[in-house]
């Protein structure tokens, strides 16, 4: 195994809190959807963990796709960052009212009567089923008291630390998420999408135009179609390549689980930081069936070509980014971002400088012309509140002595 990717241990799962455990479940379900190539699936994992949930914190609903972690096409998960005793199990299944009558929780009753799976997702301990202490036995006994009979094929499962760790280790972005949360960075030098968000080159408001929107749509459509494993994004330094890819993989604002599956399964690397180990990591992921969207920034042409050879027919999708164009391969989808496409964006960024905006549209357009379609130059001008004057723009020698 590449030293960049070390397995999550059960003890690390134990350190997750109620909120982060729910978020891990959400990420795992989205990664499964991405790995299965599903275009129509139902994933529901609300983050409001203190709101009454009727017996379910997460849900998977899709036809024809099950595995050891998604036991039925309809599976509901109850997250508990605590030890589940026999008493707590009973209360989660069918609590007693003030008259001593047992009432099965609606979502528990619904999924089991439909032949689905109800699963406890707990990082409090491991349960070794034996007789009356078996979660399944306890839960079914409680359902019987509540007058509920599960359909044939319905099952009740328990996910403890070992099983959650095994599931997490299927997906590099899930491994990294646990490490970021627990601060156990190990030897990892890549980021989840959330970690990428904290880096400087994707900070600040995002401005787009029709050309950028089309490129973002192309990246999403290409990845979701699952036919092309490699995307090559090129463009001069400072033109906004990394930010465009970031926005393409960003979670949706409207709960689009297909788009969300891209960000959930994304890992981001800078070639400069992992150059000695990158090909080993990609090879390990490809050879062992990992599913992920891998973004490699500052990736030279020869490394892109070697990655493409390694990826082959794996479950990986790879986006490489570099500042120089290259002869394109038949197995890579080429995208280029040119400064000529960024003039409108540069103007929008410059309007964030109140002093420059006060000088009027003419001044903004003049400074935008000076920036020559490079958003990074515009961002620096706004950050330091030092837009060149018309006199300075007319004498380019003065521009390079601004203080």
């Amino acid at each position: 195994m590449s030293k960049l990717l070390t397995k999550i241990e059960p003890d690390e799962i134990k350190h997750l809190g109620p909120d982060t455990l729910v978020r891990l479940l959400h990420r795992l379900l989205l990664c499964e959807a991405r790995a299965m190539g599903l275009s129509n699936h139902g994933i529901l994992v609300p983050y409001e963990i203190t709101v009454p949930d009727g017996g379910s914190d997460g849900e998977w609903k899709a036809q024809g796709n099950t595995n050891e972690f998604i036991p039925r096409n309809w599976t509901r998960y109850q997250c508990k960052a605590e030890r589940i005793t026999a008493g707590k199990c009973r209360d989660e299944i069918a609590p007693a009212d003030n008259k001593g009558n047992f009432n099965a929780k609606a979502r528990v009753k619904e999924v089991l009567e439909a032949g689905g799976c109800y699963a406890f997702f707990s990082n409090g301990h491991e349960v070794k089923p034996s007789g009356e202490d078996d979660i399944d036995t306890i839960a079914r006994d409680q359902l019987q008291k509540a007058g509920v009979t599960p359909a044939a094929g319905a099952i009740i499962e328990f996910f403890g630390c070992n099983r959650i760790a095994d599931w997490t280790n299927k997906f590099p972005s899930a491994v990294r998420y646990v490490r970021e949360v627990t601060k156990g960075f190990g030897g990892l030098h890549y980021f989840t999408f959330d970690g990428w968000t904290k880096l400087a080159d994707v900070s600040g408001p995002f401005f787009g135009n029709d050309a950028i929107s089309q490129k973002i749509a192309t990246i999403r459509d290409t990845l979701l179609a699952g036919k092309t494993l490699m995307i090559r994004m090129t463009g001069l330094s400072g033109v906004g390549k990394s930010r465009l890819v970031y926005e393409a993989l960003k979670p949706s604002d409207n709960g689009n689980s297909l788009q969300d599956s891209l960000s959930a399964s994304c890992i981001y690397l800078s070639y400069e930081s992992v150059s000695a180990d990158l090909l080993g990591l990609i090879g390990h992921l490809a050879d062992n069936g990992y599913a992920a969207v891998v973004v490699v920034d500052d990736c030279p042409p020869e490394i892109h070509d070697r990655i493409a050879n390694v990826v082959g027919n794996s479950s990986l999708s790879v986006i490489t980014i570099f500042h120089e164009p290259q002869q394109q391969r038949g197995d890579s989808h080429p995208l280029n971002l040119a400064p000529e496409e960024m003039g409108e964006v540069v103007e929008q960024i410059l309007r964030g400088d109140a002093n420059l905006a006060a000088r009027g549209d003419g001044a903004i357009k003049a400074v935008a012309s000076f920036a020559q379609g490079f958003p990074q130059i515009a961002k620096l001008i706004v950050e330091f509140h030092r837009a060149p004057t018309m006199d300075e723009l007319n004498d380019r020698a003065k521009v390079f002595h601004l203080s």
Side-chain angles (χ1 to χ4, degrees):
M1 176 180 290
S2 167
K3 67 181 181 181
L4 287 179
L5 186 68
T6 54
K7 287 187 175 181
I8 291 295
E9 298 296 333
D11 282 345
E12 294 176 270
I13 299 297
K14 290 180 181 179
H15 287 91
L16 298 177
D19 177 71
T20 50
L21 186 65
V22 169
R23 290 179 181 275
L24 175 61
L25 173 62
H26 185 232
R27 182 180 296 272
L28 290 171
L29 292 175
L30 288 171
C31 286
E32 287 286 359
R34 170 71 184 158
M36 294 178 186
L38 297 183
S39 60
N40 184 19
H41 55 82
I43 295 174
L44 176 64
V45 185
Y47 290 150
E48 295 81 359
I49 59 174
T50 59
V51 175
D53 52 39
S56 172
D57 285 318
E59 176 175 286
W60 170 278
K61 206 170 186 180
Q63 291 300 316
N65 293 276
T66 61
N67 57 35
E68 61 182 305
F69 305 111
I70 303 175
R72 293 289 184 271
N73 290 334
W74 189 6
T75 300
R76 280 179 168 163
Y77 302 84
Q78 180 67 39
C79 288
K80 292 292 176 184
E82 59 181 311
R83 183 178 179 83
I84 298 179
T85 63
K88 286 180 180 177
C89 174
R90 295 187 183 100
D91 286 342
E92 289 297 332
I93 294 293
D97 60 22
N98 54 13
K99 296 182 180 180
N101 298 316
F102 297 101
N103 299 288
K105 289 189 176 181
R107 294 183 180 177
V108 178
K109 180 175 182 290
E110 185 181 26
V111 71
L112 292 177
E113 287 185 338
C117 172
Y118 184 77
F120 287 95
F121 193 82
S122 166
N123 66 343
H125 63 165
E126 290 295 323
V127 169
K128 297 180 180 178
S130 59
E132 62 178 352
D133 292 327
D134 179 14
I135 287 290
D136 181 82
T137 301
I138 294 169
R140 288 180 183 272
D141 177 67
Q142 192 72 358
L143 287 168
Q144 186 176 22
K145 293 178 182 177
V148 175
T149 302
I155 57 174
I156 299 167
E157 296 268 318
F158 184 86
F159 286 70
C161 289
N162 289 336
R163 195 172 180 184
I164 296 173
D166 288 344
W167 195 3
T168 299
N169 285 322
K170 283 185 65 177
F171 303 107
S173 68
V175 171
R176 181 59 179 179
Y177 172 75
V178 172
R179 291 272 157 76
E180 287 177 351
V181 169
T182 62
K183 308 303 181 185
F185 290 96
L188 298 170
H189 293 84
Y190 65 83
F191 297 89
T192 62
F193 186 88
D194 297 332
W196 187 11
T197 298
K198 299 173 184 178
L199 302 181
D201 62 344
V202 294
S203 63
F206 177 70
F207 300 100
N209 56 26
D210 290 344
I212 290 175
S213 296
Q214 185 175 6
K215 287 179 172 61
I216 287 176
T218 297
I219 291 173
R220 290 175 181 165
D221 292 346
T222 300
L223 293 175
L224 293 174
K227 295 178 181 179
T228 301
L229 298 177
M230 298 288 299
I231 296 176
R232 181 60 163 170
M233 169 62 71
T234 57
L236 297 174
S237 297
V239 79
K241 305 179 299 299
S242 297
R243 182 61 183 269
L244 188 151
V245 173
Y246 170 87
E247 294 295 329
L249 301 179
K250 192 174 183 179
S252 66
D253 295 325
N254 59 1
N256 183 328
S257 55
L258 281 176
Q259 183 177 328
D260 293 345
S261 70
L262 297 180
S263 54
S265 60
C266 170
I267 61 173
Y268 170 86
L269 313 91
S270 171
Y271 175 70
E272 186 177 67
S273 301
V274 296
S275 56
D277 300 291
L278 175 63
L279 293 173
L281 172 63
I282 299 292
H284 173 77
L285 298 179
D287 293 343
N288 289 277
Y290 285 96
V293 177
V294 183
V295 179
V296 184
D297 214 341
D298 297 320
C299 181
E302 65 275 13
I303 300 301
H304 170 87
D305 289 342
R306 294 178 68 183
I307 291 174
N309 292 333
V310 168
V311 168
N313 295 317
S314 72
S315 297
L316 298 179
S317 297
V318 182
I319 304 174
T320 65
I321 306 170
F322 199 58
H323 58 267
E324 294 179 1
Q326 71 177 97
Q327 184 175 356
Q328 295 300 330
R329 303 166 53 107
D331 55 7
S332 300
H333 188 107
L335 285 173
N336 181 261
L337 187 60
E340 294 78 15
E341 299 174 286
M342 303 299 289
E344 183 182 352
V345 172
V346 167
E347 289 187 22
Q348 293 180 75
I349 295 172
L350 291 173
R351 292 184 189 280
D353 185 330
N355 293 330
L356 178 58
R359 288 161 53 185
D361 287 347
I364 290 175
K365 289 184 179 298
V367 176
S369 177
F370 162 74
Q372 296 184 329
F374 289 92
Q376 190 61 40
I377 294 177
K379 285 181 65 175
L380 291 172
I381 288 173
V382 172
E383 180 180 351
F384 292 102
H385 303 288
R386 187 59 181 92
T389 65
M390 296 303 294
D391 178 58
E392 290 166 334
L393 289 172
N394 289 330
D395 185 350
R396 291 300 177 95
K398 292 182 180 180
V399 172
F400 296 101
H401 291 86
L402 293 178
S403 59

